[in-house]
């Protein structure tokens, strides 16, 4: 089946540094990718919708200057957490949808990236 | 966006059928009903989706009410590997929002 790969799966960084997380669709093209964060024992919270070749659409309350999203190709989207602080520590998950299927198509999720900011 | 209501938790005995309900009374006519599940520290996994008719695949069955305001995910024989949080999500192709889901415990 289709696969979405996230990298890195775990990252530990110092407060004030920036961290980049990659999300790749390995065997399909994805016009749209979604980025989520998840705190322990909570559901996934949608952060932004990433569209290839255009600016991401951020959900209310998500700082676009802090969480930079780039979707430069149909198989790659990146999330950069800038000037990370301990409260940004979370499980970040991406998902991708094969182009052209709209609601009829299933989403494929990455394995998640656990960010710990010291 | 359509809101969903699911039980916070459910239990099932191993090898018994499980019926996981979801209310989505504000669903729009073009929303597909998707179900995903998530194991701890993993990304969600697709289970099944449908629009109006009931759907079957190797993992589960999806029964959709005639008015589409509710649906039920059916696991025919629960196994220990089915223990997860199950989410139902109405989806038109734009934003994909997760609700609180149902945490399924499978008892050996």
């Amino acid at each position: 089946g289709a696969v979405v790969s996230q990298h890195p799966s775990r990252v530990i960084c110092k407060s004030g540094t920036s961290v980049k997380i990659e999300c790749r669709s390995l065997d399909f093209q994805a016009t749209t990718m979604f980025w989520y964060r998840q705190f322990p024992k909570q559901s996934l919270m949608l952060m932004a919708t990433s569209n290839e070749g255009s600016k991401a659409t951020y959900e209310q309350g998500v700082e676009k200057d802090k969480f930079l999203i780039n979707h430069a190709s149909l198989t790659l989207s990146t999330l950069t957490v800038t000037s990370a602080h301990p409260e940004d520590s979370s499980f970040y998950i991406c998902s991708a949808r094969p182009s052209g299927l709209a609601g009829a198509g299933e989403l494929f999720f990455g394995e998640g990236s656990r960010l710990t900011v010291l | 966006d359509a809101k969903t209501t699911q039980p916070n938790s459910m239990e099932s005995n191993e090898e018994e059928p499980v019926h996981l309900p979801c209310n989505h009374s504000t669903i729009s006519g073009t929303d597909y009903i998707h179900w995903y599940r998530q194991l701890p520290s993993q990304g969600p996994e697709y289970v099944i989706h449908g629009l109006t008719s009931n759907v079957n695949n190797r993992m589960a069955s999806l029964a959709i009410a005639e008015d589409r305001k509710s649906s039920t995910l059916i696991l025919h024989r629960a196994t220990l590997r089915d223990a997860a949080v199950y989410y139902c999500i109405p989806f038109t192709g734009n934003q994909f929002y997760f609700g609180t889901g149902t945490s399924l415990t499978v008892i050996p």
Side-chain angles (χ1 to χ4, degrees), chain A residues 20-62:
Chain A
K20 180 185 284 188
I21 301 169
E22 291 188 348
C23 178
R24 293 181 184 273
S25 55
L26 297 185
D27 53 2
F28 65 94
Q29 293 185 332
T31 307
T32 304
M33 291 185 175
F34 302 99
W35 285 95
Y36 299 85
R37 65 188 299 182
Q38 185 176 32
F39 293 108
K41 299 193 183 299
Q42 293 187 23
S43 185
L44 287 78
M45 185 195 82
L46 179 65
M47 298 175 68
T49 302
S50 163
N51 295 297
E52 186 266 338
S54 63
K55 291 184 178 180
T57 301
Y58 289 81
E59 294 297 305
Q60 191 171 8
V62 178

Side-chain angles (χ1 to χ4, degrees), chain A residues 69-104:
Chain A
I69 292 173
N70 184 283
H71 192 158
S73 79
L74 287 171
T75 58
L76 173 65
S77 178
T78 60
L79 167 68
T80 301
V81 183
T82 62
S83 186
H85 288 94
E87 58 265 30
D88 298 323
S89 299
S90 189
F91 192 49
Y92 292 87
I93 305 167
C94 72
S95 71
R97 174 170 61 82
S99 300
L101 294 178

Side-chain angles (χ1 to χ4, degrees), chain A residues 34 36 38 43 59 103-104 107, chain B residues 34 36 38 49 94 96-97 99:
Chain A
F34 302 99
Y36 299 85
Q38 185 176 32
S43 185
E59 294 297 305
L107 267 68
Chain B
H34 287 242
Y36 290 74
Q38 185 183 27
H49 75 290
N94 298 316
F96 196 79
Y97 295 107

